[in-house]
Amino acid sequence: MSTIAPPRPNRAERLLIPATFITNLGNGIQLTAASYLVFTEANTMLAVSWLMIAVTIPQVALSLFFGKLADRFDRRTLAMISDLSSAAAAIALPVWLVLGGNPSTVSYVASFVLSISAALFFPASNALIKERIPESRLAQFNGNAEIAIQAGTLASAALGGWVIVWVGTTSLFYFNAITFLVSAALLFFIGRRPAGQGTSAPEAAAKAAAAKAAASGTRPPLARLALLYIIGNIVIIVGNSIMLVLVIDGFKSNAGYLGIVDALFGIGALFAAWAFKKINSKATVLKTALIGYLAFAVLLSLESVHLYAMMAVIPFAAIAFCVARISARTALMSAAPEEKTGFVFGATNAFGLAAGTTAVVLISLLVDSTDVKNGFYALSALVVVISSLTILSLRKHDREVAAAEAAAAAETESAPAAEAAEPVPAKV
């Protein structure tokens, strides 16, 4: 293991972390306020479900296209356009209400537009990270980014509820617009792409990737690494649905406990970066992902035993899940060619949301026909099976790469040492 300390954070990293926090804060506030507005207007859970569909569909449909777009144009500019569009949609919502627009209609339209912006922001921002953050800082950055994501989500839930009580939903929408403007400003101050990474960088990266593939006879296992990351989408979408049913119907508790459970999960997630550094210092990223997912699956099953058992274990479940999520994200970002990072993360986002939606429908049918606890067991089993099989497959890929390296080294013993390490294994 190398004892050389990684480089200090550059300006891009110092600005991207707060931008990540602010963006997630704004998205969470928007969803909270729009859901509250729709529910109070229609007074049905179905209306809120339609809002969730309006948020999901654009991201599934457009993420692939926007991912390709992020690989053709300046990623920083696209992310700024996304933030500015989101700010315009957020501020249009209360303006429409003041002009007498129907609250439900405006909530659906604004949420739909914001979802389109999010579909652009996800691949553009991840491609920007790959472009600006040194390889040796990726794991550290992703750990800090996960803290920012969870902190923003947790703060939005707490802030959103209290602001609605104090001053109503309109102020939340104005505040949300401000968060997007601040995020755009932070992206602007990152600056243009460094001169050393000009327009020839994608071409050079493409040639390097081609050389790596030729040397090993294999391609980077991007689809399998993406699947490892997609497990997180499935857990988030399914978990949010069955958690509500378990607390309210299974444990016969009120919504206040649901808020406590969410807060405990968020608190646990804040420690994930620290846990990731501890585990990752002794294991590869893929082993860390497997450890995290398996631990999470066990803890998830225990949550269904009793309400107090859930409250006791959920912070640790959050740590395990976020450690796995950070590891999977780091592995995927490290293996993705720089010139295709936007497409890789766009495709991952689209298929992840589609997989999560499919899983939540199937598990909901299971819960409705049997018991809500079976939903937790089914989700746990799904996490164990997908993560185990995927990582076993990736380990096989590593062995194939190692064998190809050995064969290439035997044939070209006089080749420079730098060329001997060209293949891109899954092991990061």
Side-chain angles (χ1 to χ4, degrees):
M1 183 182 300
S2 175
T3 58
I4 300 175
R8 296 177 63 83
N10 58 18
R11 181 172 61 176
E13 182 172 348
R14 291 194 299 269
L15 293 174
L16 280 170
I17 293 297
T20 300
F21 168 79
I22 292 169
T23 298
N24 280 273
L25 176 65
N27 287 334
I29 287 174
Q30 173 69 29
L31 194 57
T32 299
S35 298
Y36 180 84
L37 193 62
V38 167
F39 183 75
T40 53
E41 178 69 16
N43 201 31
T44 65
M45 192 65 195
L46 181 61
V48 179
S49 299
W50 279 113
L51 180 66
M52 297 303 148
I53 292 172
V55 169
T56 303
I57 288 176
Q59 296 194 52
V60 174
L62 296 173
S63 288
L64 276 169
F65 170 73
F66 284 148
K68 292 180 179 179
L69 207 66
D71 292 330
R72 294 184 59 189
F73 299 98
D74 183 70
R75 283 89 179 256
R76 169 175 159 267
T77 301
L78 291 175
M80 289 171 59
I81 290 172
S82 172
D83 272 336
L84 293 174
S85 300
S86 296
I91 205 156
L93 199 158
V95 171
W96 192 346
L97 292 175
V98 170
L99 295 176
N102 181 275
S104 294
T105 302
V106 68
S107 296
Y108 289 130
V109 172
S111 297
F112 186 81
V113 173
L114 283 165
S115 182
I116 293 175
S117 295
L120 172 61
F121 187 86
F122 185 81
S125 61
N126 278 283
L128 182 63
I129 290 167
K130 175 74 174 184
E131 175 186 293
R132 302 297 182 93
I133 306 301
E135 187 77 18
S136 57
R137 289 286 309 175
L138 273 182
Q140 178 80 13
F141 174 87
N142 285 326
N144 293 333
E146 188 65 30
I147 291 177
I149 291 169
Q150 297 301 330
T153 303
L154 186 61
S156 69
L159 183 63
W162 283 110
V163 172
I164 288 174
V165 172
W166 289 336
V167 295
T169 56
T170 302
S171 297
L172 268 182
F173 294 125
Y174 286 124
F175 177 77
N176 187 33
I178 293 172
T179 64
F180 287 119
L181 291 175
V182 173
S183 176
L186 291 171
L187 291 170
F188 174 79
F189 286 115
I190 289 175
R192 296 181 182 275
R193 189 170 184 168
Q197 298 178 6
T199 55
S200 62
E203 297 176 4
K207 291 179 181 178
K212 292 174 182 180
S216 64
T218 60
R219 295 180 179 179
L222 295 176
R224 283 170 282 178
L225 290 171
L227 181 59
L228 199 63
Y229 185 76
I230 283 170
I231 295 172
N233 295 80
I234 296 172
V235 168
I236 292 169
I237 295 173
V238 177
N240 286 340
S241 300
I242 61 175
M243 186 71 70
L244 184 147
V245 177
L246 181 64
V247 172
I248 303 299
D249 188 49
F251 293 149
K252 308 299 180 185
S253 300
N254 58 47
Y257 282 101
L258 188 62
I260 294 173
V261 167
D262 287 340
L264 289 171
F265 184 92
I267 291 169
L270 296 179
F271 290 92
W274 172 83
F276 170 75
K277 294 172 189 174
K278 292 291 184 181
I279 299 174
N280 194 50
S281 64
K282 301 177 181 178
T284 65
V285 170
L286 290 183
K287 287 181 180 178
T288 304
L290 182 60
I291 292 169
Y293 279 134
L294 294 182
F296 170 74
V298 172
L299 293 168
L300 182 65
S301 297
L302 294 176
E303 288 176 14
S304 64
V305 174
H306 191 275
L307 176 62
Y308 294 126
M310 172 186 286
M311 294 170 66
V313 304
I314 200 166
F316 302 100
I319 292 174
F321 171 72
C322 291
V323 163
R325 184 79 163 165
I326 294 168
S327 303
R329 175 186 165 105
T330 301
L332 179 60
M333 189 170 288
S334 297
E338 195 275 326
E339 78 282 0
K340 292 184 178 179
T341 306
F343 174 77
V344 168
F345 275 89
T348 300
N349 192 40
F351 286 109
L353 290 171
T357 303
T358 302
V360 76
V361 170
L362 295 176
I363 291 179
S364 294
L365 291 173
L366 174 66
V367 168
D368 289 341
S369 61
T370 58
D371 185 83
V372 65
K373 293 183 179 180
N374 291 331
F376 278 76
Y377 302 145
L379 181 58
S380 297
L382 198 61
V383 170
V384 170
V385 170
I386 296 176
S387 61
S388 299
L389 292 179
T390 302
I391 290 178
L392 283 174
S393 174
L394 290 168
R395 292 290 297 274
K396 180 181 178 182
H397 173 271
D398 280 346
R399 290 193 293 270
E400 291 173 352
V401 169
E405 286 180 345
E411 292 177 3
T412 57
E413 292 182 356
S414 60
E419 295 180 4
E422 286 293 336
V424 182
K427 182 166 58 183
V428 180

